Amino acid sequence: MKVSRQAYGPEPDQYFERYLPDETASPGTVLVIHGGFWRPEFDASLGRPLATDLAERGYSVANLEYRRPERDGWREIFPDVLAGIAALGTANVVAVGHSAGAQLAAYAAARVPLAGIVAQAGLLDLAGAVRDRVGGRSVLKLLGGTPDEVPERYREADPIVLAPLGIPVVCVHSRADDWVPIAQCEAYVATGGAAELIEGPG
């Protein structure tokens, strides 16, 4: 396996880590988008175990990093994700997003061609997250207000509003998750489209 780092912008957090397997088992690239409620204390190190495992199984992987400002993150985070995907320079990209990373994957899929999404414990209903206080004030800090205050931002960024995306979406979640409730994925899958929920233990 070869691991390298490639910048897609001038800022320190604008990069992705490429994991290239010794023998490729599948065409295309798996894009890993880490979560952490879009907070600055969580970074690409969260995605490295998954990226390593996938590369060992023969997949080409890009572990994406992006800027994470404390407030109004949509101004920098969303463009960074799109710029990172564009810099990959490859087609047939499947995004694997964990928690907030699943929201970013859905946001990207509504704007650029992706082959599919795997949402791990995904934050896929941002208005519902505000209502249920999932992640505390994380969604409010990301978008700069409530759905009533900045409805246009929720229309652009909330996965449940963007659904269906026209591509396969696999949601993997557990009822034991006390950070992001499984109701987030259940509500998303209920919107229809090519979305399915796989409930796992742990």
Side-chain angles (χ1 to χ4, degrees):
M1 180 195 324
K2 296 180 180 179
V3 182
S4 62
R5 177 165 158 163
Q6 179 178 332
Y8 61 83
E11 300 299 325
D13 289 332
Q14 292 178 313
Y15 69 89
F16 53 80
E17 299 164 338
R18 292 297 297 260
Y19 292 72
L20 298 178
D22 295 328
E23 295 184 10
T24 301
S26 177
T29 299
V30 179
L31 176 68
V32 175
I33 309 177
H34 73 80
F37 291 112
W38 314 277
R39 295 174 184 166
E41 61 264 36
F42 299 101
D43 60 22
S45 63
L46 293 175
R48 287 173 188 156
L50 175 59
T52 299
D53 181 75
L54 288 168
E56 289 175 347
R57 296 171 187 266
Y59 293 92
S60 297
V61 185
N63 182 32
L64 183 71
E65 185 58 288
Y66 48 88
R67 291 173 291 175
R68 299 170 310 285
E70 189 64 37
R71 291 197 61 82
D72 289 339
W74 61 277
R75 298 179 188 273
E76 296 179 355
I77 295 173
F78 296 169
D80 278 6
V81 172
L82 297 180
I85 294 172
L88 286 175
T90 184
N92 195 29
V93 175
V94 172
V96 179
H98 172 243
S99 187
Q103 179 272 324
L104 296 174
Y107 172 86
R111 291 158 176 81
V112 298
L114 292 178
I117 293 174
V118 177
Q120 300 174 318
L123 270 161
L124 301 174
D125 179 5
L126 297 187
V130 171
R131 180 191 64 236
D132 300 333
R133 298 185 179 180
V134 177
R137 294 180 56 82
S138 295
V139 176
L140 298 178
K141 289 182 177 180
L142 173 74
L143 295 180
T146 67
D148 290 334
E149 293 167 337
V150 287
E152 72 285 354
R153 294 178 194 166
Y154 285 81
R155 286 194 296 268
E156 292 181 5
D158 197 341
I160 204 166
V161 175
L162 300 173
L165 293 171
I167 59 172
V169 179
V170 178
C171 301
V172 182
H173 217 135
S174 168
R175 295 193 184 277
D177 191 336
D178 55 5
W179 285 66
V180 177
I182 196 171
Q184 284 274 312
C185 280
E186 290 175 328
Y188 183 86
V189 170
T191 63
E196 63 174 308
L197 172 62
I198 297 176
E199 186 176 339

